[in-house]
Amino acid sequence: MSPRQTASPLDGATGEKPALARGAGRHVLVVAGDPDLAELLSTTLELAGYRISLSCTGAEALTRVAQYRFDLVVFDTGLPDMVNFSRERRPALPHRPPVLLLTEYDRLHRLAPELGLGERDYVTKPFRVAEVLARIQMLLRGPCPGPLRGNPLEYGDLVLDDTVCRARRGTRALDLTPAEYRLLRHLLVNAHRVLSKEQIGRYVWGDHRGDNAIEQLVSRLRRKVDRGDGPALIHTRRGFGYWLGRADGNA
């Protein structure tokens, strides 16, 4: 017996082909205990062209992932069984899909679900639907291009650990907001590549917030990362955007 699948209500509607092309029928498991949240996510993703299955507990989600091949999992960390879920013995998973975690800001240090293999991202609640869709698209594109792989991500003495959503430079912990962490990660996996303000805005927030918001975000991040004795890592290419790396090219 296959997991419950729901077809998009726009199937066959020729006027909505661009929306369906985004999801291209890829199979997403939505894990949410709140019926309203589950309905919002499933309806939104169906309209975007994804095939949806639902689970209401972490234990059920593990069983589903062990039995069926999903392209991605959207996982609400506010599930009632999250405490027990983190302690349960995990079944062998033949396929580990990427995971988008929905979490409260004060729970970022407890992002525990191991349904994926390193490819994870998160959205803090309350979230905007546009940001969820943007995060899903980024995860389904696979690992970001660039010289960095694995977890934690490193560039010289700069280290990001996605398993706990924390960053440090040398022995100094960086106290980053979710937006700052996303920006630093995006710059890090694209080290020595100039990223435009539009690229940054769409990755960090799911849309373009305007030049001033991005300039302020980069400025805050730069003060935290480049404070100290080490070489500056975050640079501005005027008229083009921002890039991360040592100016001398040495990591």
Side-chain angles (χ1 to χ4, degrees):
M1 181 177 179
S2 63
R4 187 180 77 82
Q5 299 177 9
T6 53
S8 167
L10 297 181
D11 286 350
T14 56
E16 299 293 343
K17 285 184 179 178
L20 289 173
R22 170 163 38 190
R26 282 171 290 193
H27 198 179
V28 176
L29 175 64
V30 173
V31 189
D34 180 354
D36 291 337
L37 177 60
E39 179 66 21
L40 171 65
L41 291 170
S42 60
T43 300
T44 298
L45 293 175
E46 284 172 352
L47 290 172
Y50 297 94
R51 290 186 299 131
I52 303 302
S53 293
L54 294 174
S55 291
C56 60
T57 68
E60 181 185 6
L62 277 174
T63 300
R64 289 285 186 90
V65 173
Q67 292 177 342
Y68 307 106
R69 186 180 182 92
F70 294 97
D71 295 298
L72 181 134
V73 176
V74 178
F75 195 104
D76 177 23
T77 62
L79 289 171
D81 68 335
M82 272 300 295
V83 174
N84 292 332
F85 176 79
S86 62
R87 300 171 182 168
E88 287 181 358
R89 183 176 181 180
R90 310 295 170 84
L93 300 179
H95 169 64
R96 292 177 178 266
V99 179
L100 178 65
L101 297 161
L102 310 178
T103 183
E104 303 289 348
Y105 175 71
D106 59 0
R107 295 184 181 180
L108 287 177
H109 65 290
R110 291 190 284 143
L111 299 185
E114 296 176 2
L115 294 168
L117 189 61
E119 282 302 308
R120 299 197 303 172
D121 202 347
Y122 65 90
V123 173
T124 54
K125 297 187 289 186
F127 58 81
R128 292 176 302 111
V129 167
E131 184 175 5
V132 170
L133 292 172
R135 297 274 162 243
I136 288 174
Q137 283 190 291
M138 292 297 295
L139 283 168
L140 289 175
R141 288 174 186 168
C144 297
L148 299 172
R149 291 292 183 269
N151 188 51
L153 300 174
E154 300 180 8
Y155 184 97
D157 62 350
L158 177 64
V159 180
L160 269 70
D161 189 344
D162 282 344
T163 61
V164 290
C165 296
R166 291 175 179 167
R168 61 180 171 82
R169 184 155 187 200
T171 59
R172 178 168 55 89
L174 304 179
D175 184 18
L176 304 180
T177 67
E180 291 166 353
Y181 185 91
R182 284 195 216 285
L183 171 58
L184 183 57
R185 189 184 195 284
H186 198 36
L187 291 169
L188 185 56
V189 299
N190 290 282
H192 294 284
R193 297 184 181 187
V194 176
L195 300 178
S196 69
K197 291 180 179 179
E198 182 177 1
Q199 287 174 312
I200 289 172
R202 294 194 181 282
Y203 182 84
V204 173
W205 294 296
D207 57 21
H208 185 53
R209 291 289 184 91
D211 291 354
N212 189 51
I214 294 170
E215 288 169 2
Q216 291 180 1
L217 178 63
V218 172
S219 178
R220 293 197 304 269
L221 179 63
R222 180 182 278 138
R223 286 197 297 269
K224 294 180 180 181
V225 172
D226 290 339
R227 175 175 60 85
D229 298 330
L233 293 181
I234 298 176
H235 310 277
T236 302
R237 179 85 182 276
R238 296 200 178 278
F240 293 92
Y242 303 95
W243 62 280
L244 181 144
R246 288 184 51 158
D248 59 12
N250 296 321

